[in-house]
Amino acid sequence: MSSSVFLAPDILPRHIAIIMDGNNRYGKANDLAKGQGHVAGKDALDPIVEYCVETGIEVLTVFAFSSENWQRPPSEVALLMQLLSSTIYEQIPRMNEYRIRLRFIGDRSQLSDGLQALMADAEEKTANFEAMTLVIAISYGGQWDIAHAAKQLAKQVQAGQLQAEEVNEERLGEYVQLADGPAVDMLIRTGGEYRLSNFLLWQSAYAELFFTQTLWPNFGAEELSTMVTEFAQRQRRFGKTSEQIVIEQQPR
């Protein structure tokens, strides 16, 4: 496994989310055949997962295919779907080895029946593993996620099971993807872009943001470790003042 700096569990991020950007640019920069940058990006995930298990991260969510990615050229979409299937096949033995739960979020209705079945089988086989949870976002968009959650509440209001006045942030939050897990503490985007690209908008409301010029296939555990160490040094206020946080952290 990768080496990591020891940090006390109470200052570690519980949930790290990564926008894995820069695969195509990596392929072009290294004169790879079209699409091979994505292949290199697939291989970059394993050491990141191992680092997170070793460090004690509870949840790692990675953005594999966005709802907007369906607009890409059909040949690229087909390659990405093939790589996603290969990734799932390859990850199941690793999930067994490290006792990692594998989950998927996104609009599965747009995926092939074969890929949906593969995802469901992987989730079932790893459902009881507790070392960490690896979440792969496929056909996912943050706006879709919030709208989907709102639709569930609207159905309850329509059925008379819920009053419109009872709809609030807490209730809506019960229906977004990953509602049963910790909010995103730390959101990373590789590849030099400075935007969230519709990723985990609700779940990342108070996430610490990290951006790096490193293209995803070159992003490794050492750079992630540096970011986690920086995360531990940031003061997270959640709307409070620095003085309030200092008082709360004093031993009683």
Side-chain angles (χ1 to χ4, degrees):
M1 278 196 173
S2 58
S3 59
S4 60
V5 176
F6 173 78
L7 295 171
D10 60 342
I11 60 174
L12 281 172
R14 296 179 63 193
H15 186 171
I16 296 176
I18 304 179
I19 300 173
M20 306 180 295
D21 194 21
N23 291 330
N24 276 331
R25 279 171 287 161
Y26 175 89
K28 292 175 182 176
N30 290 277
D31 295 321
L32 301 180
K34 193 170 184 179
Q36 290 307 298
H38 291 298
V39 175
K42 178 176 71 70
D43 297 336
L45 181 60
D46 290 345
I48 299 300
V49 172
E50 291 179 9
Y51 167 84
C52 288
V53 174
E54 182 183 71
T55 306
I57 308 302
E58 293 180 32
V59 182
L60 171 66
T61 301
V62 295
F63 207 6
F65 188 88
S66 76
S67 51
E68 289 76 24
N69 286 154
W70 290 108
Q71 304 174 61
R72 293 195 173 192
S75 59
E76 184 175 353
V77 171
L79 173 63
L80 288 169
M81 290 296 110
Q82 179 183 348
L83 287 175
L84 287 169
S85 295
S86 299
T87 298
I88 297 170
Y89 274 120
E90 293 170 7
Q91 286 298 330
I92 290 178
R94 295 176 60 78
M95 301 299 100
N96 289 328
E97 179 181 357
Y98 296 115
R99 311 299 289 175
I100 298 172
R101 183 183 182 188
L102 188 58
R103 295 181 63 178
F104 302 91
I105 58 173
D107 183 3
R108 302 191 189 195
S109 67
Q110 298 191 67
L111 304 174
S112 69
D113 291 343
L115 182 54
Q116 289 187 53
L118 183 60
M119 292 160 61
D121 180 63
E123 287 179 320
E124 181 180 357
K125 287 179 177 177
T126 64
N128 296 321
F129 295 163
E130 298 180 345
M132 191 191 80
T133 298
L134 172 62
V135 183
I136 301 179
I138 302 176
S139 189
Y140 175 86
Q143 293 175 331
W144 164 85
D145 190 355
I146 297 169
H148 183 265
K151 188 181 297 183
Q152 309 313 305
L153 293 181
K155 289 179 180 178
Q156 292 183 27
V157 172
Q158 187 177 41
Q161 301 169 342
L162 184 70
Q163 297 297 313
E165 294 75 18
E166 297 177 292
V167 177
N168 54 27
E169 294 95 327
E170 183 178 356
R171 283 195 179 272
L172 185 63
E174 294 173 357
Y175 290 91
V176 296
Q177 306 279 284
L178 303 179
D180 58 337
V184 175
D185 296 305
M186 180 178 179
L187 191 149
I188 301 166
R189 181 170 189 144
T190 65
E193 304 289 356
Y194 296 88
R195 53 180 176 269
L196 300 181
S197 293
N198 200 19
F199 183 46
L200 295 176
L201 301 179
W202 182 278
Q203 298 86 342
S204 300
Y206 281 96
E208 296 294 318
L209 305 181
F210 290 79
F211 299 95
T212 175
Q213 296 294 317
T214 305
L215 303 177
W216 170 248
N218 287 327
F219 185 76
E222 184 174 347
E223 186 170 1
L224 176 55
S225 178
T226 299
M227 290 180 174
V228 170
T229 300
E230 180 184 336
F231 171 90
Q233 297 168 349
R234 292 188 185 182
Q235 185 184 69
R236 306 184 73 202
R237 296 192 293 273
F238 299 98
K240 299 179 182 179
T241 66
S242 298
E243 291 76 14
Q244 286 176 297
I245 299 299
V246 170
I247 292 172
E248 290 177 358
Q249 291 176 342
Q250 290 178 350
R252 297 180 181 179

